[in-house]
């Protein structure tokens, strides 16, 4: 890349800086060497396209060399490219600079270098560091950054006698800075030096021409697309790039410049989106902090409840033990007093001995009776000694083994909250979106949060909208037409929430939903068609009248179509409606028709005329086969026998395998009255199956026709009442 090209590249970046779209502070991390963690100094470009300081490359290679020479040394633990390393000796640096140097190698071999940027080993080739390009563009940006950081620090003139004056120019050819006087002296007018290129004061001087590191006398003039590096013509003719695809430097410059400019413009254009995502992340951080504090408070509350229960149980257990202890001590105290009385019986014995000395029988008997009872009681106590209570409290040992096991398994309740799953079969979108989900776990959640957001066409994600729901379904309204929306659900139990469910993507209809019912008056044949009370479902029945008409089959009788239309016409705008065809239906036609065409059809003698009598009658699929008039006032498609038949077209393949599709579960019709276009959609995937022009000069009506057994059910708009009805079912 030429010097002017690099200056232009830098000028583009500085223009962004001047406009305030990129700040110096923001690009600072791009100017830091991944090895020394400081601003780049003479950066070199590695084969992996990462840059590293020239000095850092040497230090890392020397450290790796030392680690291989002395595996057990401490230096082997300092070989990480992420560490700031001590300066190597000059003899080792000279040895590394020699081409072909490799650790533990006596012959020229390739050098493997661990890139600190991507942490992959890269091959420096036989020339080693000498084969690496110096990143002058990055070096210029770093120098400008340094100047911006030290704007108050002046660059002094290199040629002034002390004291030097502040420089005003720097000569790129002389690699020196000059004040005004010295510049005039050393660049006199009319000499060769007067033609030198000069710039503002700088300390960053680089060669005007980029030379090939392998062929030092050759200029770089090509770019190797395989190796992604500049090369000279000798590299292409007989060097390592002889079999590689190369391009001119100007072409490579233009291509890379356009890519870089587009990428920068894209990033700048996405500034609002990034700010929105940062705001969303900040909100999520605040929500996480609040939820974390709330979870801590609830955990403390739960443990405090456990503590209260334990304290209560502890108090009751201690009271029971204390009461038992007191009762036993009282019994022992009573027994002690009794036996204490035995000690006092020594006087009783003496008293009894004195009583025995009484000779008067009457007096003796009077006294001896009571004395005998006392002595007998004392004698029995001595014969049968038994403690009045037990000293063991084995019955009062608290068994906490189960509780200890439960407390050991105590964990967060969130482990018990399963991720809710969205029921894709029951979730759909029409005029509104109906989202159903279920909770697979045994533990029921207190509430759910339904999140949804629109997905732009360039996959740009907008912020999530949240709706709190206390059930397992929700109707989401006010969605934009013809847009993709993502839906997901998470469950809440208290303040603990489950992870979000898998996202469900639904595509909204291309236009507002058109509400109508079947018309029971205009053209309705109650002999063949059966309409329900709500007028949103019609069935065709092949009854007794058809059997009677079968007598005329020998004279060319054909069974005709029975028409039924919507009770509301369309005179402007875009409209969309959907319906379901019963799988057992033999033949159903659906689409749009003008008021004039409907009057023509409904006046036809339907029991005596062949459906092919009029080419554009629309009475069967043959009408589309023979008429390609783009201005016809009707369009009907044929559905039946679980198939969807695409009408023939002069611009597409008319082979049967390309025209017959499986019948969708639900079919949508989109009419753009102003543009005169009608489209048929597969509602399951909101995919257009067929579209064509239609003459909308008159009022257009939704039109249907049935033949044989069949049924049509109009899609019911999704509302809150619809949701209640679904839940009742």
């Amino acid at each position: 890349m030429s010097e002017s090209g690099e200056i232009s590249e830098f000028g583009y970046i500085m223009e962004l800086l001047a406009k305030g779209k990129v700040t110096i502070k923001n690009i600072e991390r791009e100017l830091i060497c991944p090895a020394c963690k400081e601003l780049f100094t003479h950066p070199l470009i590695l084969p992996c396209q990462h840059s590293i300081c020239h000095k850092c490359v040497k230090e890392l290679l020397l450290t790796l060399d030392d680690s291989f020479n002395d595996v057990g040394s401490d230096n082997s633990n300092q070989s990480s490219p992420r560490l700031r390393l001590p300066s190597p000796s000059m003899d080792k640096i000279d040895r590394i600079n020699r081409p072909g140097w490799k650790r533990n190698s006596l012959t020229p071999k390739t050098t493997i270098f661990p890139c600190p940027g991507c942490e992959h080993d890269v091959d420096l080739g036989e020339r080693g560091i000498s084969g690496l390009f110096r990143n002058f563009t990055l070096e210029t940006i770093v120098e400008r950054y340094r100047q911006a950081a030290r704007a108050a620090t002046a660059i002094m003139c290199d040629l002034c006698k002390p004291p030097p004056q502040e420089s005003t120019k720097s000569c790129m050819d002389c690699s020196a800075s000059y004040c005004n006087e010295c510049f005039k002296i050393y660049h006199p007018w009319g000499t060769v030096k007067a033609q030198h290129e000069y710039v503002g004061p700088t300390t960053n001087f680089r060669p005007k021409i980029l030379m090939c590191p392998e062929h030092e006398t050759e200029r770089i003039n090509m770019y190797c697309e395989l190796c992604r590096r500049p090369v000279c013509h000798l590299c292409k003719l007989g060097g390592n790039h002889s079999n590689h695809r190369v391009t001119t430097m100007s072409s490579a410059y233009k291509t890379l410049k356009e890519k870089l400019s587009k990428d920068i413009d894209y990033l700048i254009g996405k500034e609002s989106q990034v700010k929105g995502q940062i705001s969303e992340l900040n909100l999520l951080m605040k929500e996480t902090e609040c939820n974390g504090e709330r979870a801590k408070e609830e955990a403390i509350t739960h443990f405090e409840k456990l503590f209260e229960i334990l304290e209560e149980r502890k108090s009751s257990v201690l009271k029971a033990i204390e009461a038992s202890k007191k009762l036993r001590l009282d019994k022992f105290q009573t027994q002690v007093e009794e036996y204490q009385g035995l000690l006092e019986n020594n006087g009783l014995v003496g008293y009894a001995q004195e009583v025995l000395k009484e000779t008067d029988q009457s007096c003796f008997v009077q006294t001896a009776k009571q004395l005998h009872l006392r002595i007998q009681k004392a004698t029995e106590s001595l014969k049968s000694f038994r403690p009045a209570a037990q000293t063991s409290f084995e019955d009062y040992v608290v068994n906490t083994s189960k509780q200890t096991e439960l407390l050991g398994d105590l964990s967060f309740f969130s482990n018990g909250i399963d991720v809710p799953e969205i029921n894709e079969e029951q979730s759909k979108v029409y005029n509104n979106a109906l989202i159903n989900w279920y909770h697979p776990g045994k533990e029921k959640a207190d509430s759910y949060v339904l999140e949804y957001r629109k997905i732009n066409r360039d996959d740009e994600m907008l912020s999530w909208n949240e709706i709190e729901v206390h059930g397992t379904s929700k109707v989401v309204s006010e969605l934009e037409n013809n847009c993709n929306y993502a839906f997901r659900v998470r469950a809440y139990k208290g303040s603990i929430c489950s992870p979000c469910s898998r996202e469900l993507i639904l595509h909204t209809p291309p236009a507002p939903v058109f509400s109508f019912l079947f018309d029971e008056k205009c053209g309705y044949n109650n002999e063949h068609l059966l309409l329900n009370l709500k007028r949103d479902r019609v069935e065709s029945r092949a009854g007794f009248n058809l059997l009677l008409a079968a007598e005329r089959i020998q004279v060319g009788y054909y069974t005709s179509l029975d028409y039924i239309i919507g009770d509301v016409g369309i005179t402007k705008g875009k409209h969309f409606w959907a319906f379901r065809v019963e799988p057992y239906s033999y033949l159903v036609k659906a689409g749009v028709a003008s008021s004039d065409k409907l009057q023509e059809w409904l006046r036809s003698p339907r029991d005596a005329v062949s459906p092919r009598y009029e080419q554009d009658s629309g009475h069967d699929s043959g009408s589309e086969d023979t008429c390609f008039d783009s201005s016809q006032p009707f369009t009907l498609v044929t559905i039946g026998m679980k198939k969807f038949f695409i009408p023939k077209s002069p611009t597409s393949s008319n082979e049967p395998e390309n025209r017959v599709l499986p019948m969708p579960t639900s079919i949508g019709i989109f009419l753009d009255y102003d543009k005169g276009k009608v489209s048929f959609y597969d509602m399951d995937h909101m995919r257009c199956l067929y579209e064509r022009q239609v003459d909308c000069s008159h009022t257009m009506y939704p039109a249907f026709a049935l033949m044989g057994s069949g049924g049509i059910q109009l899609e019911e708009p999704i509302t809150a009442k619809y949701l209640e009805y679904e839940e009742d079912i």
Side-chain angles (χ1 to χ4, degrees), residues 546-561:
L546 183 62
L547 293 177
L548 293 177
E551 296 177 354
R552 288 178 290 177
I553 193 170
Q554 291 87 354
V555 294
Y557 173 77
Y558 292 88
T559 302
S560 63
L561 292 166

Side-chain angles (χ1 to χ4, degrees), residues 70-241:
D70 187 5
V71 178
S73 66
D74 293 337
N75 289 339
S76 63
N77 296 328
Q78 300 177 357
S79 59
S80 172
R82 299 290 180 185
L83 300 177
R84 179 65 177 169
L85 305 172
S87 300
S89 59
M90 293 305 298
D91 58 337
K92 289 186 176 182
I93 291 179
D94 293 339
R95 180 162 53 92
I96 289 178
N97 283 332
R98 291 197 298 268
W101 175 88
K102 186 180 185 295
R103 53 180 175 263
N104 295 338
S105 176
L106 298 177
T107 58
K109 295 182 180 179
T110 59
T111 302
I112 303 300
F113 179 77
C115 173
C118 59
E119 298 183 353
H120 287 85
D121 290 341
V122 294
D123 186 2
L124 300 185
E126 296 182 358
R127 294 179 57 83
I129 299 177
S130 302
L132 299 179
F133 281 103
R134 186 171 165 184
N135 195 339
F136 290 109
T137 301
L138 177 59
E139 193 171 341
T140 302
I141 297 174
V142 171
E143 179 60 26
R144 294 296 177 90
Y145 173 79
R146 285 197 173 100
Q147 291 182 10
R150 59 169 189 265
T153 304
I155 299 177
M156 309 309 292
C157 178
D158 295 328
L159 281 302
C160 278
K161 296 181 179 179
Q165 300 294 318
E166 182 177 346
S167 64
T168 58
K169 300 179 182 65
S170 293
C171 179
M172 303 304 294
D173 296 274
C174 301
S175 299
S177 298
Y178 301 88
C179 63
N180 286 332
E181 296 299 327
C182 292
F183 186 81
K184 294 177 181 179
I185 296 174
Y186 290 95
H187 296 78
W189 184 260
T191 63
V192 177
K193 287 189 175 183
Q195 304 300 322
H196 285 186
E197 179 186 1
Y198 61 91
V199 296
T202 182
T203 57
N204 180 41
F205 301 100
R206 63 182 187 182
K208 299 182 66 175
I209 300 175
L210 197 61
M211 308 302 290
C212 178
E214 296 187 13
H215 310 93
E216 298 178 355
T217 59
E218 298 296 329
R219 296 178 55 180
I220 293 297
N221 55 5
M222 288 183 287
Y223 182 80
C224 178
E225 296 182 354
L226 179 63
C227 301
R228 296 184 300 175
R229 61 175 293 172
V231 295
C232 68
H233 70 282
L234 292 182
C235 294
K236 174 60 179 174
L237 291 176
N240 297 329
H241 307 272

Side-chain angles (χ1 to χ4, degrees), residues 37 43 55 107 131 135 165 181 213 220 229 320 350 413 428 431 448 519 542 554 598 614 674 690:
K37 303 300 182 183
K55 186 178 181 181
T107 58
N135 195 339
Q165 300 294 318
E181 296 299 327
I220 293 297
R229 61 175 293 172
F413 192 72
K428 60 181 181 178
N431 60 319
Y448 300 89
D519 194 334
Q554 291 87 354
L598 287 172
E614 188 177 8
D674 300 330
Y690 172 70

Side-chain angles (χ1 to χ4, degrees), residues 297-315:
E297 292 176 359
E298 290 195 358
I300 292 174
T301 301
H302 288 307
F303 277 104
E304 286 179 349
K305 288 181 179 179
L306 290 177
F307 294 154
E308 291 177 1
I309 295 174
L310 289 175
E311 287 293 335
E312 182 181 351
R313 296 299 301 160
K314 173 184 174 183
S315 177

Side-chain angles (χ1 to χ4, degrees), residues 73 273 419 425 434 452 501 572 691:
S73 66
Q273 177 185 349
V419 180
E425 295 181 356
L434 172 63
Y452 68 96
S501 66
K572 63 178 180 179
E691 68 176 12

